[in-house]
Amino acid sequence: MKAIGISVATAFVAASAHGSMVSFTSDPGLEGLGSFTGSMEWAYPVEGGDCGELAIRLVNTSPGENGGFLTGFAFNTISGLDIAFITQGDRWTGVAGVAADPFGVFDYGVALDGNFLGGGSPVDGIAVGGERKFLFTVCAEASVLEALQASDFFD
């Protein structure tokens, strides 16, 4: 996935648990070929556990005539968090230290078969018009998790 300038809007999730959400929209990428919209939602605590949950939803809004797939994404996190991708029985893999040239290196992400660029000419991933939700567990000291907002993953 080639990305992006992102605009962020923050909203709070209503519930007894602590939560927040950010929505974002990409610019058209380096070559003007790919774009997406999405959201990150943070919830803590997650029922039945001491950790929180980060849910990321991506929609491929690239022009249909361009084709193409979103094959990976990455984000930065806060030191001291233990993040794990909740595998959902397919080819998406959690990746640490994601090199997302030319945008730099990010702390964590998910990529198709662990390959951020999809292997050069991807034929799988999130197709134009498609949508996918990714879930992560986030563990740390309770005081750290209570203070987190979804925007904290958007550095």
Side-chain angles (χ1 to χ4, degrees), residues 2-4 27-34 101-103:
K2 298 188 179 178
I4 24 255
D27 69 16
L30 292 177
E31 293 87 22
L33 300 176
D101 291 333
F103 304 105

Side-chain angles (χ1 to χ4, degrees), residues 27-29 31-36 60-69 127-129:
D27 69 16
E31 293 87 22
L33 300 176
S35 60
F36 62 90
N60 187 343
T61 59
S62 302
E65 61 274 11
N66 292 346
F69 297 86
V128 172

Side-chain angles (χ1 to χ4, degrees), residues 111-138:
L112 196 60
D113 293 328
N115 185 335
F116 184 73
L117 295 177
S121 296
V123 294
D124 205 358
I126 305 172
V128 172
E131 176 178 335
R132 171 82 188 214
K133 188 173 183 178
F134 301 88
L135 297 175
F136 302 85
T137 58
V138 181

Side-chain angles (χ1 to χ4, degrees), residues 4-151:
I4 24 255
I6 298 176
S7 60
V8 177
T10 303
F12 290 95
V13 178
S16 61
H18 169 74
S20 63
M21 184 171 82
V22 293
S23 297
F24 48 86
T25 302
S26 73
D27 69 16
L30 292 177
E31 293 87 22
L33 300 176
S35 60
F36 62 90
T37 62
S39 63
M40 284 181 135
E41 185 174 351
W42 167 247
Y44 172 77
V46 176
E47 187 175 327
D50 295 329
C51 296
E53 183 175 271
L54 182 66
I56 298 175
R57 185 178 124 309
L58 294 176
V59 178
N60 187 343
T61 59
S62 302
E65 61 274 11
N66 292 346
F69 297 86
L70 301 180
T71 60
F73 65 92
F75 57 93
N76 286 320
T77 187
I78 298 167
S79 179
L81 297 182
D82 181 21
I83 297 179
F85 174 58
I86 301 172
T87 305
Q88 299 165 2
D90 56 20
R91 296 174 45 204
W92 293 92
T93 305
V95 184
V98 180
D101 291 333
F103 304 105
V105 177
F106 293 82
D107 297 330
Y108 202 81
V110 174
L112 196 60
D113 293 328
N115 185 335
F116 184 73
L117 295 177
S121 296
V123 294
D124 205 358
I126 305 172
V128 172
E131 176 178 335
R132 171 82 188 214
K133 188 173 183 178
F134 301 88
L135 297 175
F136 302 85
T137 58
V138 181
C139 300
E141 295 290 327
S143 61
V144 172
L145 297 175
E146 288 170 354
L148 284 176
Q149 300 291 323
S151 58

